[in-house]
Amino acid sequence: MIREVLTYPNPKLRTISQDVTKFDEHLHALLDDMYDTMIHKNGVGLAAIQVGTALNALVINPVNEEGEQKKEDLLEVINPQIIESDGVIIFQEGCLSVPSVYEDVERFKKIKVRFFDRLGNEHTEVYEDFMAVALQHEIDHLRGHLFIEKLTYLKRKKFEKEWKKRAKEKA
Ligand code: CO
């Protein structure tokens, strides 16, 4: 089921999400809805709080070298913890909660993450480049943060000005 995606400046996006404790059918329905919503909105990642559920769950579905977004590449991540990080990468990010805004953000290039899958099995994996960036972006959502908070002062001011202008045009 496709759900509504909350957009900036909805204060709910600042919520600190809680750990999942039950790996049951409610979690599976949430993950399925998150996948449907992400694909419907042409996104590559989504955190549960973006559909209004304050749980530590996120999905990432990268586009492969052929430009296809295949469900077999879907990664579901529950209760993630970054346990190691290394290097620097600058990558142009976007977010379904801040539509049509794309800005360069600095992140760790490589991270080691401990997390659970939908069945409650624990995993520890190393991710680099796009997957590392996407994971850090989505994990930020779980802590109540958006990528625009990482922009330089001037870029942030420019963003706020344009965002207000756009909101006025919509009203
Ligand atoms: Co986002």
Side-chain angles (χ1 to χ4, degrees), residues 50 95 137-138 141:
Q50 292 179 275
C95 180
H137 176 116
E138 301 310 334
H141 276 297

Side-chain angles (χ1 to χ4, degrees), residues 40-77:
H40 176 73
K41 295 270 186 183
N42 297 315
V44 290
L46 193 74
I49 191 62
Q50 292 179 275
V51 292
T53 301
L55 285 174
N56 286 325
L58 64 90
V59 293
I60 295 171
N61 199 353
V63 173
N64 68 17
E65 278 163 21
E66 282 77 48
E68 301 160 320
Q69 193 175 26
K70 290 201 166 158
K71 193 166 186 183
E72 67 201 47
D73 295 323
L74 172 67
L75 179 67
E76 297 177 333
V77 173

Side-chain angles (χ1 to χ4, degrees), residues 14-124:
R14 301 169 66 97
T15 310
I16 295 168
S17 292
Q18 303 297 309
D19 270 351
V20 170
T21 53
K22 285 183 188 159
F23 295 80
D24 59 6
E25 68 271 25
H26 297 288
L27 174 68
H28 298 169
L30 170 67
L31 290 166
D32 293 342
D33 286 355
M34 286 166 66
Y35 173 79
D36 291 346
T37 305
M38 173 180 68
I39 295 299
H40 176 73
K41 295 270 186 183
N42 297 315
V44 290
L46 193 74
I49 191 62
Q50 292 179 275
V51 292
T53 301
L55 285 174
N56 286 325
L58 64 90
V59 293
I60 295 171
N61 199 353
V63 173
N64 68 17
E65 278 163 21
E66 282 77 48
E68 301 160 320
Q69 193 175 26
K70 290 201 166 158
K71 193 166 186 183
E72 67 201 47
D73 295 323
L74 172 67
L75 179 67
E76 297 177 333
V77 173
I78 318 295
N79 302 348
Q81 293 289 341
I82 296 174
I83 51 177
E84 275 173 39
S85 51
D86 193 28
V88 171
I89 185 170
I90 294 172
F91 198 90
Q92 193 179 59
E93 297 186 20
C95 180
L96 293 178
S97 293
V98 194
S100 310
V101 174
Y102 301 92
E103 293 285 355
D104 282 348
V105 176
E106 190 179 303
R107 303 274 186 188
F108 293 114
K109 184 175 164 59
K110 190 173 169 183
I111 55 173
K112 189 189 260 189
V113 189
R114 188 160 55 212
F115 63 96
F116 295 85
D117 62 28
R118 65 159 62 202
L119 302 175
N121 300 310
E122 193 177 317
H123 301 263
T124 302

